[in-house]
Amino acid sequence: MTEEKDVLILAIESSCDETAASVVKNGREVLSNVISSQIELHKLYGGVVPEIASRKHIEKINQVIEEALTEAGVTLDDLDAVGVTYGPGLVGALLVGVAEAKAIAYAKKLPLVGVHHIEGHISANYIENKELEPPFICLVVSGGHTHLVCVKDYGTYEIIGRTRDDAAGEAFDKVARAIGLGYPGGPKIDKVSKEGNPEAIHFPRAKVNESEYDFSFSGLKSAVLNYLNGCQMKGEEYNQADVAASFQKAVVDVLVEHSLHAVETYGLKKFAIAGGVASNSSLRKAFEDECEKRQIEFYHPSPVYCTDNAAMIGVAGYYEYQKGARSGLDLNAVPNLKLGER
Ligand code: KG4
Ligand code: ZN
């Protein structure tokens, strides 16, 4: 029997405020994962400034790719393909990665594979869970997206539910700003919540009438703002940790309830989480406990693979590559690319 040749993919991610490159071997082995974060820069403005993000990506991208190749111990000549996030995301930011990937693919005559950012987040679960295979249900919770997805096969998705307004991460960021925690809010709320009482204030758990799997977080955000206003009008100090913990609990309750309802309805015993908010410690604990109770296998990536990174793009790119998906040199950034679309 002849041994199958290894497949090495260089992956590039620049959809938001992280410039990232990674080399992934055979879809699940991460040889390098280099991330240059712009968070410190955007903190000054309280959120991501698209123009600044694009400019910073241009400054960093070559260096990040070089580091990824060096760390993996490979050169461009060893690669089998180049994978790149082409949507969804900030158009100017995406374009930097797409142009770079096209240049490398052209110069080195390598196949180019455009990757969907959310497919990347979902695929991050394959890195550390070697036994995980579709079908399974995945909850994607990031700064821009909240999707409940049935992963039917590699690269085949059915969207079961989505947010009607704010993404979960967006709600974390907005509430954090309102209680003076700054940007990015998710990790800060996670931290101060540990000092607070999640039962101190009852915030609403929104249901969307027409769809039992959809989410809505804007009402919750308004409820928090109203609570803060109420305190101010009465001249009362609010307890920052209690507000954070009670808000976080309201988000976690809804995410857990909808997700596990879907897992049971679809008759699948496997459930995964993905995206920046998936690194939230309280969310992970709640899913761990509930999945154990209901005898559901629970999967999650390490925090470094939850937030934006290129390794996840390499994994998703590998499965696309194996299926024969190839992008032309006319590949463009698609800022509002839908899941399952190519
Ligand atoms: O996946 P990601 O890095 O970027 C997008 O594709 O959007 O997600 C970033 C989001 C931000 O809203 C951030 O506040 C949130 O993930 N986040 C968290 C935590 N870490 C990051 N939210 C809650 N708890 C955390 N520990
Ligand atoms: Zn992301």
Side-chain angles (χ1 to χ4, degrees):
M1 213 169 81
T2 53
E3 248 187 50
E4 279 196 31
K5 189 192 163 298
D6 287 335
V7 175
L8 282 183
I9 294 188
L10 168 69
I12 300 171
E13 155 67 42
S14 69
S15 66
C16 190
D17 60 346
E18 261 93 27
T19 321
S22 166
V23 178
V24 176
K25 182 173 154 185
N26 299 331
R28 295 200 182 209
E29 198 183 326
V30 178
L31 301 187
S32 63
N33 185 33
V34 179
I35 305 167
S36 167
S37 173
Q38 307 175 358
I39 282 184
E40 287 305 317
L41 193 62
H42 297 288
K43 252 185 195 167
L44 301 171
Y45 307 95
V48 178
V49 184
E51 266 307 309
I52 295 178
S54 317
R55 248 180 280 155
K56 210 66 197 163
H57 284 309
I58 294 176
E59 263 173 47
K60 291 281 176 186
I61 198 151
N62 284 322
Q63 181 191 333
V64 165
I65 290 172
E66 254 173 48
E67 257 180 65
L69 292 169
T70 307
E71 213 180 290
V74 302
T75 69
L76 290 176
D77 294 319
D78 300 316
L79 300 174
D80 295 283
V82 184
V84 63
T85 306
Y86 73 108
L90 303 168
V91 68
L94 287 164
L95 274 172
V96 177
V98 169
E100 180 83 16
K102 288 202 278 195
I104 295 173
Y106 178 68
K108 288 288 165 188
K109 300 191 171 53
L110 287 169
L112 177 68
V113 182
V115 177
H116 192 292
H117 182 75
I118 301 301
E119 291 192 29
H121 274 302
I122 295 170
S123 304
N125 278 288
Y126 298 133
I127 298 170
E128 294 153 298
N129 302 301
K130 306 290 181 207
E131 75 288 4
L132 176 62
E133 283 186 27
F136 59 93
I137 303 286
C138 185
L139 172 71
V140 188
V141 268
S142 72
H145 305 271
T146 302
H147 281 109
L148 196 51
V149 179
C150 178
V151 183
K152 298 185 153 179
D153 199 350
Y154 294 106
T156 309
Y157 306 93
E158 177 194 340
I159 299 174
I160 307 172
R162 52 162 58 83
T163 181
R164 293 296 179 100
D165 36 62
D166 291 352
E170 210 176 336
F172 268 94
D173 293 336
K174 286 177 178 169
V175 167
R177 191 177 309 150
I179 59 173
L181 287 173
Y183 174 85
K188 291 183 173 158
I189 289 197
D190 194 350
K191 193 160 169 234
V192 303
S193 291
K194 292 190 180 16
E195 317 295 322
N197 173 12
E199 312 295 339
I201 310 147
H202 184 82
F203 290 127
R205 274 74 171 151
K207 289 217 181 306
V208 176
N209 285 339
E210 317 86 78
S211 168
E212 53 190 341
Y213 301 118
D214 279 359
F215 304 95
S216 166
F217 294 108
S218 68
L220 170 58
K221 179 194 65 195
S222 305
V224 175
L225 296 180
N226 286 341
Y227 175 81
L228 298 177
N229 275 338
C231 290
Q232 202 184 18
M233 307 246 274
K234 287 184 260 171
E236 287 171 6
E237 287 272 328
Y238 63 87
N239 182 318
Q240 190 190 49
D242 282 351
V243 176
S246 302
F247 157 77
Q248 181 173 271
K249 178 84 171 38
V251 176
V252 168
D253 280 356
V254 171
L255 293 176
V256 171
E257 191 190 316
H258 289 200
S259 304
L260 298 189
H261 178 41
V263 175
E264 283 171 352
T265 310
Y266 277 68
L268 297 169
K269 283 286 174 193
K270 287 188 278 184
F271 172 68
I273 53 174
V277 183
S279 59
N280 183 273
S281 56
S282 166
L283 183 72
R284 289 160 95 100
K285 176 78 174 63
F287 273 126
E288 253 160 41
D289 292 349
E290 267 314 300
C291 286
E292 199 186 333
K293 254 191 241 161
R294 303 182 199 206
Q295 294 179 315
I296 297 166
E297 284 300 325
F298 173 49
Y299 301 90
H300 57 79
S302 293
V304 68
Y305 296 126
C306 284
T307 43
D308 288 349
N309 66 87
M312 67 184 197
I313 302 304
V315 179
Y318 169 81
Y319 288 105
E320 288 300 314
Y321 172 82
Q322 291 296 68
K323 281 199 303 191
R326 301 290 182 267
S327 305
L329 290 173
D330 58 350
L331 180 70
N332 203 354
V334 184
N336 52 5
L337 184 66
K338 302 279 177 298
L339 192 64
E341 249 176 32
R342 286 204 72 80

